[in-house]
Amino acid sequence: MTADFSLRNWGKNLGPHNILNGRWFTVFASILILSVSGGTYLFGLYSQHVKSSLGYDQTTLNLLSFFKDVGANVGIIAGLINEVCPPWVVLLIGSVMNFSGYIYLWLAVNGDELVKPQVWQMCLCLMIGANSQTFTNTGALVTCVKNFPESRGIVIGLLKGFVGLSGAIITQLFHAFYGNDGKYLVLLIAWLPPFVCCTLLKYVRVMKVINRQENEVKIFYQLLYISLGLAGFLLMITILQNSIAFSLVEYRLSSCIVLLLLFAPIVIVIREELKLGKSRKLVFDESVPLKGTEQVKLLSRNQGKGVSWFKNIFKPPERGEDYTILQALLSVDMLILFITTIFGAGGTLTAIDNIGQIGKALGYPNTSIATFTSLVSIWGYLGRVVSGFVSEIFLTKYKVPRPLMLTLVLLLSCFGHILIAMGVPSFLEVALAILGFCFGAMAPLIFSIISELFGLKHYATLLNFGGAASPIGAYVFNVRLVGHFYDKEALKQMEALGLLRKPGDHLTCIGIECYRLSFLIIAAASFVGCIVSYILVLRTRKFYRGDIYKKFREQA
């Protein structure tokens, strides 16, 4: 009855209602939501304002940064909520968390008399605000993967690419709204993502497709070309703004071009929805609104089919079938992926977090360091889209296992860490380009592998569990390793100059000696991650030689 209801209503007309309820408009809505979800990537731009306004030292600021990373990467709660609720609920919760966390932060750093936060309260509000990103990622990205299961690598690469560009997009909009007044950046991060998300969340829904569109991949390529144009413009305008002073009018003009490129996919969406309006046969998972308890029962009836989480924990199905959450978490394949992410993503995240300190240690001016940050963001975007699109081509046409491509990315990252350890100034740009590309490339590959090995049934939870490994690696490499050796070398340099450290003095280290040993160790750790990843290649090579998308075609 539900299917008949949906199909009758779909066939009535080809007006705006049908366009807004189409699969491609869900992709467009997800692109817009994710394009402003990167508030966590802008911590480096407003952290100095937080430090000076609240009188924090560098250690306290690093503590805030750590809790920010935890919030941005640990999204298991978002995944579990997505198991029993539709995507709009997940997106709405994320919007509330984003506004609550960042508005408290803004009130605190702007000296509001009603807000006198302690350090633990600041850590909590920043973690809540950053954790909202996992809700938007889960609600939008997982939905699109389920809507396009046979193009999942492309979908993840494209959407994560827009996440990578979100920091640069928000920066341009910030200049257009507030000029160069840095204290309002946190305010923009507080209200803009919830506004966009709440406006579009009703259009993000899971759909079951009976007939796959023949030119599906071609359409995604057209969306890719638009995103490449947006990335190229952001790169050009960022370098230009770091070279000459822009007026408010010029900032607003450049932001208008950014918005024009960001909304350009709507042309493709309308064209495809009108073209397929008569022939498409879709069944909405949420066609008939249900009460909360009824919806939970329906989901458990359709998805669970009486299978307990605690049954057959150590007797999982074949790879590619739907694992239970515990079956996946306790599997050897997931353990290998978790270790690989700790060693691989943890090392590259550490390098990216220390761009400013590395640049200062090597004597680069602040303008060059700002340019490095923007370039790493662009290279991260390229890594996301290239790994998503290229891995899908190699997998479908040549049966190249996706874990093998992850292994090659980890191997490439080792060279980036070694180039930083060498300390040659002209090599720093190359090293950061390599590491930015590798960091961006890892996420689509890891998330795609999880969906392929363990199925899409509990993908929302398993996706976020895989992402939780990144902050573990970042804490070990960034706080315990890089921070330790940096302070040790700085003290050694002070002693060589006959200086004594006074309470409250900040340690400053000059020269590549501050980082050489740390990044040699990180390079070795990344190589270990490369070896562990290759073990997964050997374990899954038979699986990837088969047709991993066959069951989706059979279901259709």
Side-chain angles (χ1 to χ4, degrees):
M1 180 176 178
T2 301
D4 293 337
F5 176 85
S6 299
L7 292 175
R8 284 200 307 269
N9 280 276
W10 180 262
K12 285 183 178 180
N13 58 72
L14 298 179
H17 175 75
N18 289 344
I19 294 174
L20 296 178
N21 286 322
R23 272 198 312 162
W24 290 109
F25 195 84
T26 295
V27 174
F28 175 67
S30 299
I31 286 174
L32 294 184
I33 290 172
L34 295 175
S35 294
V36 294
S37 67
T40 55
Y41 301 133
L42 299 174
F43 181 77
L45 294 182
Y46 65 79
S47 59
Q48 190 62 37
H49 186 61
V50 173
K51 183 179 179 181
S52 59
S53 298
L54 299 177
Y56 290 160
D57 57 19
Q58 190 63 36
T59 301
T60 305
L61 193 65
N62 287 342
L63 184 64
L64 291 178
S65 177
F66 169 70
F67 276 93
K68 180 263 301 178
D69 288 338
V70 171
N73 291 280
V74 181
I76 297 174
I77 295 177
L80 291 173
I81 293 175
N82 197 75
E83 295 284 340
V84 295
C85 295
W88 69 264
V89 174
V90 180
L91 294 172
L92 182 61
I93 294 173
S95 298
V96 173
M97 292 176 63
N98 184 96
F99 183 79
S100 302
Y102 284 111
I103 200 66
Y104 186 89
L105 177 63
W106 182 74
L107 292 174
V109 300
N110 282 279
D112 192 289
E113 295 182 357
L114 299 176
V115 181
K116 301 288 184 181
Q118 299 181 18
V119 173
W120 71 267
Q121 293 172 323
M122 290 296 293
C123 291
L124 180 62
C125 81
L126 191 57
M127 185 172 68
I128 291 174
N131 194 242
S132 66
Q133 183 174 313
T134 66
F135 281 79
T136 54
N137 274 330
T138 301
L141 190 145
V142 173
T143 300
C144 289
V145 169
K146 290 183 176 182
N147 286 345
F148 299 91
E150 295 183 56
S151 303
R152 66 188 68 178
I154 292 175
V155 171
I156 294 174
L158 181 68
L159 295 182
K160 293 297 286 185
F162 278 99
V163 173
L165 293 177
S166 61
I169 292 172
I170 294 176
T171 301
Q172 293 300 317
L173 296 178
F174 158 69
H175 288 309
F177 282 116
Y178 303 109
N180 288 310
D181 195 345
K183 67 181 180 181
Y184 287 106
L185 176 59
V186 179
L187 178 62
L188 181 67
I189 297 172
W191 71 261
L192 181 61
F195 173 77
V196 175
C197 194
C198 290
T199 303
L200 297 170
L201 59 82
K202 67 176 291 187
Y203 305 112
V204 180
R205 62 181 74 187
V206 178
M207 306 174 190
K208 292 181 181 179
V209 184
I210 295 179
N211 293 323
R212 188 196 185 202
Q213 196 169 340
E214 293 182 359
N215 63 335
E216 182 178 293
V217 174
K218 182 180 178 181
I219 299 170
F220 279 118
Y221 272 107
Q222 294 170 354
L223 296 175
L224 170 65
Y225 300 147
I226 293 175
S227 72
L228 286 172
L230 176 61
F233 178 77
L234 287 170
L235 175 62
M236 178 193 69
I237 202 67
T238 299
I239 295 175
L240 194 60
Q241 288 170 355
N242 287 329
S243 303
I244 60 176
F246 266 46
S247 66
L248 185 59
V249 173
E250 291 169 332
Y251 277 129
R252 289 175 176 173
L253 179 60
S254 64
S255 295
C256 288
I257 299 175
V258 170
L259 291 176
L260 183 65
L261 291 171
L262 191 57
F263 278 84
I266 191 61
V267 177
I268 298 174
V269 169
I270 294 175
R271 183 195 68 195
E272 294 304 319
E273 294 297 346
L274 291 177
K275 186 187 301 183
L276 299 174
K278 293 182 178 180
S279 60
R280 175 180 291 155
K281 296 180 180 180
L282 294 174
V283 178
F284 295 147
D285 279 359
E286 302 164 357
S287 295
V288 181
L290 299 174
K291 296 181 180 178
T293 54
E294 293 176 344
Q295 191 170 44
V296 172
K297 290 179 182 178
L298 180 62
L299 284 168
S300 62
R301 194 163 58 241
N302 290 342
Q303 297 180 359
K305 293 186 179 180
V307 178
S308 171
W309 280 15
F310 301 97
K311 275 190 175 182
N312 300 320
I313 294 178
F314 300 105
K315 294 181 180 179
E318 295 182 0
R319 291 188 179 96
E321 298 299 324
D322 290 326
Y323 280 53
T324 66
I325 294 176
L326 290 180
Q327 283 175 340
L329 296 186
L330 297 177
S331 68
V332 177
D333 291 344
M334 181 62 84
L335 177 63
I336 292 174
L337 272 175
F338 199 78
I339 295 174
T340 300
T341 306
I342 290 176
F343 283 97
T348 53
L349 183 59
T350 297
I352 292 171
D353 284 344
N354 284 275
I355 290 175
Q357 293 279 24
I358 295 172
K360 289 180 180 178
L362 294 179
Y364 283 93
N366 290 333
T367 53
S368 297
I369 294 173
T371 302
F372 290 161
T373 304
S374 299
L375 291 177
V376 167
S377 176
I378 300 299
W379 279 104
Y381 156 79
L382 291 174
R384 287 175 168 93
V385 296
V386 168
S387 67
F389 280 78
V390 173
S391 67
E392 194 71 27
I393 293 172
F394 276 60
L395 175 63
T396 54
K397 288 189 175 182
Y398 308 108
K399 303 298 181 183
V400 176
R402 222 183 292 262
L404 178 59
M405 288 172 269
L406 176 61
T407 304
L408 295 176
V409 169
L410 288 169
L411 183 62
L412 180 61
S413 71
C414 296
F415 292 102
H417 295 308
I418 292 173
L419 287 176
I420 291 180
M422 291 174 64
V424 180
S426 59
F427 285 179
L428 181 60
E429 293 89 338
V430 179
L432 293 177
I434 292 174
L435 293 175
F437 179 88
C438 292
F439 180 72
M442 286 180 196
L445 292 173
I446 292 172
F447 294 162
S448 297
I449 291 169
I450 290 174
S451 72
E452 289 159 355
L453 296 183
F454 308 115
L456 293 177
K457 182 178 177 182
H458 299 293
Y459 180 52
T461 301
L462 300 178
L463 164 82
N464 286 293
F465 180 82
S470 295
I472 296 176
Y475 177 78
V476 172
F477 293 127
N478 199 2
V479 179
R480 309 304 301 176
L481 180 67
V482 173
H484 170 73
F485 283 112
Y486 181 92
D487 291 343
K488 184 178 179 180
E489 182 62 31
L491 288 171
K492 187 187 296 184
Q493 292 181 4
M494 290 183 67
E495 292 174 359
L497 296 173
L499 301 175
L500 295 176
R501 185 188 182 190
K502 299 177 182 179
D505 285 351
H506 300 304
L507 293 175
T508 302
C509 186
I510 303 299
I512 194 55
E513 293 80 9
C514 312
Y515 291 99
R516 175 172 283 128
L517 182 58
S518 299
F519 276 91
L520 287 175
I521 294 174
I522 292 175
S526 297
F527 187 72
V528 172
C530 181
I531 295 174
V532 174
S533 177
Y534 189 69
I535 295 174
L536 185 63
V537 176
L538 298 178
R539 288 175 55 85
T540 59
R541 56 184 177 180
K542 182 178 179 181
F543 167 71
Y544 279 102
R545 285 174 184 165
D547 187 355
I548 66 173
Y549 295 145
K550 181 180 178 181
K551 74 171 186 176
F552 296 103
R553 288 192 293 272
E554 290 177 346
Q555 289 173 359

